[in-house]
Amino acid sequence: MSNTQSRTEYLRRIHKVQDYIEDHLNHTLVLDELADIAGFSKYHFHRIFTAITNESLLQYVNRIKLERAAFFLVHRPEITVTDIAYHFGFTDSAVFSRAFKHHYSLSPTQYRNQHSKNCKDPVENPKYNRGILNDRNGSDPVDSKANVEMVTVNEMRVIYVRYTGTYQGLATAMPGMMEKLYGFAMSHNLLEPGKTKILTIYHDNPEMTDENQLRTSLCMSIPNDAKFEENGDIGAVGHFEIYQHEYGAAWKYMYGEWLPNSGCQPRDAFPFEVYVSDPNANPQGKQFVDIYLPVEPLGKL
């Protein structure tokens, strides 16, 4: 096995653990279990995880929990601080409050009050695709308004390549990620003409996560031979025809204009983009993009 193949395998195993952690944030995460998922001994797994992610396992789990909790504090006002603490596996609200204040320098209540007030102010440009957004050359974000509809999204099976870092760095890395994804799919006969979808999943909220720790997965749908229940999850999909520099404005429209007027609230799941067309095929460089936003009915206080 070459050095490149070896590192790829190590990253694959660490990403597998990260995926498991995200799916079980409201459970007690045991080192032995996570080490077994990674296929390393408990002693070596902890060292490998820290070396690759630059965070200890405990630091990583706590940070992800606190960032998701921060999202709940801002966008789920009907859920109490205590319920949020228990939801993410903290033993009580006092432990959660101390950890939260250590991370954000604000108590959960202060954070909720401050950011809830900010949400009522004029919406600023979000940090999604910030590097691209900075080059908008004054284009009007109103141009990115879209037809939004409610859809049921059935579970799909994907392969992915993951990037950790700033969105500016992601823009540079994306061509290589795409080449790697297509190369793997072609070599394993996974492409389905007319059915294969390319999508991007943003694992972290850029308003709450340090830009160097933002995780993004470039995904490709693959044939799904396994048996799944047909009841998918409800989400909103915004259909956009935009230029490369208008992605930030499209996300802003979904979160800043459509969502507050929709009667819905964000569900605890990841938003993602599906690329419907090839921008190189459009003489003007425009691309059809669908932004999927997982939602549920708006709760009452």
Side-chain angles (χ1 to χ4, degrees):
M1 182 179 290
S2 68
N3 290 342
T4 299
Q5 291 173 321
S6 177
R7 178 163 182 79
T8 298
E9 175 61 17
Y10 269 70
L11 288 174
R12 185 190 69 81
R13 296 191 187 192
I14 295 301
H15 292 163
K16 186 177 180 180
V17 172
Q18 290 177 327
D19 293 341
Y20 183 86
I21 291 171
E22 287 181 347
D23 288 339
H24 297 82
L25 282 179
N26 57 343
H27 293 74
T28 300
L29 297 166
V30 182
L31 176 60
D32 289 8
E33 182 180 10
L34 297 178
D36 185 61
I37 291 170
F40 296 116
S41 71
K42 178 173 66 174
Y43 175 81
H44 291 296
F45 167 66
H46 192 275
R47 290 173 177 267
I48 292 169
F49 187 93
T50 301
I52 290 179
T53 65
N54 293 316
E55 291 180 280
S56 71
L57 184 63
L58 179 61
Q59 288 173 329
Y60 178 85
V61 171
N62 284 341
R63 176 175 66 81
I64 298 299
K65 285 188 175 185
L66 291 171
E67 289 170 355
R68 296 285 288 279
F71 181 85
F72 269 49
L73 287 168
V74 176
H75 296 286
R76 300 298 303 272
E78 79 283 4
I79 304 180
T80 67
V81 171
T82 299
D83 286 341
I84 291 174
Y86 287 135
H87 178 76
F88 288 106
F90 291 90
T91 54
D92 57 52
S93 59
V95 172
F96 168 65
S97 295
R98 285 196 297 271
F100 192 92
K101 188 168 185 178
H102 178 75
H103 188 73
Y104 286 105
S105 299
L106 292 171
S107 71
T109 300
Q110 290 171 328
Y111 188 93
R112 166 171 273 174
N113 291 337
Q114 177 176 312
H115 287 78
S116 295
K117 177 182 181 300
N118 290 343
C119 285
K120 298 175 184 177
D121 294 333
V123 180
E124 296 180 356
N125 287 333
K127 295 179 184 176
Y128 290 103
N129 294 290
R130 171 178 277 181
I132 296 172
L133 190 60
N134 288 342
D135 295 328
R136 287 175 56 206
N137 297 321
S139 64
D140 187 352
V142 175
D143 293 341
S144 294
K145 285 188 176 181
N147 171 36
V148 182
E149 60 179 323
M150 301 295 291
V151 298
T152 298
V153 182
N154 293 319
E155 188 168 355
M156 74 173 73
R157 195 175 182 187
V158 301
I159 55 175
Y160 68 86
V161 180
R162 180 165 298 165
Y163 176 85
T164 301
T166 67
Y167 289 147
Q168 294 95 321
L170 173 64
T172 301
M174 187 67 78
M177 295 167 63
M178 188 72 74
E179 182 179 353
K180 183 176 182 179
L181 201 61
Y182 266 98
F184 182 88
M186 292 179 67
S187 64
H188 291 78
N189 197 31
L190 298 175
L191 293 175
E192 295 183 289
K195 295 182 179 180
T196 297
K197 293 182 174 64
I198 301 296
L199 52 143
T200 300
I201 295 177
Y202 300 99
H203 296 266
D204 304 296
N205 188 319
E207 302 295 336
M208 301 165 185
T209 302
D210 182 272
E211 64 176 6
N212 293 306
Q213 295 175 319
L214 294 169
R215 293 162 300 145
T216 308
S217 293
L218 177 65
C219 309
M220 176 184 291
S221 64
I222 61 175
N224 194 352
D225 297 325
K227 300 296 182 181
F228 292 103
E229 294 182 6
E230 293 299 322
N231 56 331
D233 291 321
I234 298 297
V237 54
H239 305 288
F240 295 86
E241 183 182 7
I242 54 178
Y243 294 105
Q244 184 72 9
H245 64 270
E246 293 178 321
Y247 276 82
W251 281 97
K252 175 184 176 181
Y253 174 77
M254 291 295 292
Y255 274 98
E257 295 188 43
W258 180 82
L259 187 60
N261 297 297
S262 67
C264 299
Q265 61 191 14
R267 188 160 43 82
D268 188 20
F270 299 114
F272 57 91
E273 299 169 350
V274 173
Y275 310 114
V276 182
S277 66
D278 180 0
N280 296 321
N282 187 307
Q284 296 180 322
K286 278 193 171 184
Q287 182 173 13
F288 288 99
V289 179
D290 290 342
I291 292 181
Y292 284 77
L293 183 62
V295 295
E296 61 189 15
L298 182 63
K300 294 183 177 180
L301 294 178

